[in-house]
Amino acid sequence: MITVENLTKSFQGVSALNGVTLDVEAGTVLGVVGPSGAGKSTLARCVALLERPDSGAIRVDGTDITSLDGSALRAARRQIGVVPQGDSLLRQRTAAGNIALPLESAGVPGPQRRTRVGELLDLVGLTDKAAAYPDQLSGGQRQRIAVARALAANPSVLLADEPTSALDPETTGSVLTVLDRARAELGVTVLVVTHDMNVVRKICDDVAVLEQGRVVEHGKVLDLVGNPVSRTSSALLPAVDLNPINESSYDRVADVVLVGFAAVGALLPEAAHRFGVELNIVGGGLTRLGETPVARFRLGLNGERSDSALEWIGEAGGAVQRSLKGPQGVAA
């Protein structure tokens, strides 16, 4: 588990981090998002001990790593793998040679090095590229080798700073699959710094939103999308366009968020049948967060029990935000 407590960091009098506090459960993927200059990369560099914070604590499995020095600090750094932003491979080394580099530095014997490199090439799906040099690899392949290199020393934490920047969608998917496999198969806790909310949509369990060096939102992705006013919900879910002409045709209009196969597939038809109302989807759409289907719909309802139908949807697990439109017209 990673715990960040009241972390601060300034550069030449300009605050980059201002009291950042986070908890990251072991074996999860946390997406750190926010606008440029929000402090995302600074936070990652502090957690990786590449920068010393001005104050605060960073605890990994209960140990405050900011208080370490000497051999204890070096040992702690080996537990944190880092995938730097941009192309970081050494051009004079093959793919296998790049992965082996941390193992050579740690004095791991040759046979063990070769075994470990082989395992990691298999993990990232590039066994056939072991002898290729970086300039013979695509951008996505180079990034997957960089992930393998960061995993070479069996770290408990993996930090990836903008791992999909400048990659096309298909290549991005292959890199994200590797990060997800690192979590699922190796039990690594992954922190991904990104500006791309598709990264959060595809692999993140939790998300932390930074603005001006502060955490303004933090929690499990599936919990946050259920809050219609959260930043995460706005960024990840399908947009709902306001159409006053359509809204005037209904007794009640409401926006709902439905999470999970059962809710998305059955909740709305059940509400219409149970309360004898006409229920139409007039906006919104479906997406997936990891393997979980999530819908945000604008609903138009007609019928005397429209309010009761919406209340039941809320009680059954849907997040309901009612509109003031319609002759029944009170917000709930």
Side-chain angles (χ1 to χ4, degrees), residues 145-164:
I145 294 297
V147 173
R149 182 181 61 186
L151 293 169
N154 284 307
S156 60
V157 177
L158 180 66
L159 293 175
D161 191 357
E162 297 286 2
T164 62

Side-chain angles (χ1 to χ4, degrees), residues 274-295:
R274 193 179 275 252
F275 295 95
V277 298
E278 177 193 347
L279 188 155
N280 294 296
I281 296 172
V282 296
L286 286 162
T287 189
R288 277 183 178 270
L289 301 180
E291 296 300 316
T292 304
V294 180

Side-chain angles (χ1 to χ4, degrees), residues 24 73 107 134 232 245 249 271 281 309 317 331:
V24 188
L73 177 60
T232 302
I245 297 175
S249 303
I281 296 172

Side-chain angles (χ1 to χ4, degrees), residues 123-207:
L123 179 79
V124 302
L126 291 173
T127 299
D128 61 333
K129 300 295 184 182
Y133 287 88
D135 290 339
Q136 298 171 314
L137 302 174
S138 68
Q141 289 170 340
R142 288 195 293 271
Q143 196 70 321
R144 284 149 65 189
I145 294 297
V147 173
R149 182 181 61 186
L151 293 169
N154 284 307
S156 60
V157 177
L158 180 66
L159 293 175
D161 191 357
E162 297 286 2
T164 62
S165 62
L167 299 180
D168 61 68
E170 183 177 351
T171 305
T172 291
S174 68
V175 174
L176 296 182
T177 296
V178 167
L179 293 175
D180 197 37
R181 288 188 70 185
R183 177 268 302 271
E185 298 180 21
L186 305 179
V188 177
T189 304
V190 183
L191 274 69
V192 182
V193 172
T194 184
H195 67 279
D196 184 358
M197 293 304 288
N198 277 325
V199 173
V200 177
R201 187 177 285 113
K202 290 180 181 297
I203 66 167
C204 291
D205 305 295
D206 299 350
V207 64

Side-chain angles (χ1 to χ4, degrees), residues 26-51:
T28 62
V29 180
L30 169 72
V32 180
V33 303
S36 296
K40 305 186 298 296
S41 292
T42 301
L43 174 61
R45 289 181 63 81
C46 285
V47 172
L49 300 175
L50 300 175
E51 296 277 358

Side-chain angles (χ1 to χ4, degrees), residues 8 17 21 54 57 68 81 102 104 107 132 138 164 192 194 200 202 219 223-224 256 272:
T8 66
L17 299 176
T21 295
D54 297 331
L68 303 178
E104 293 173 11
S138 68
T164 62
V192 182
T194 184
V200 177
K202 290 180 181 297
D223 290 341
L224 291 172
V256 301

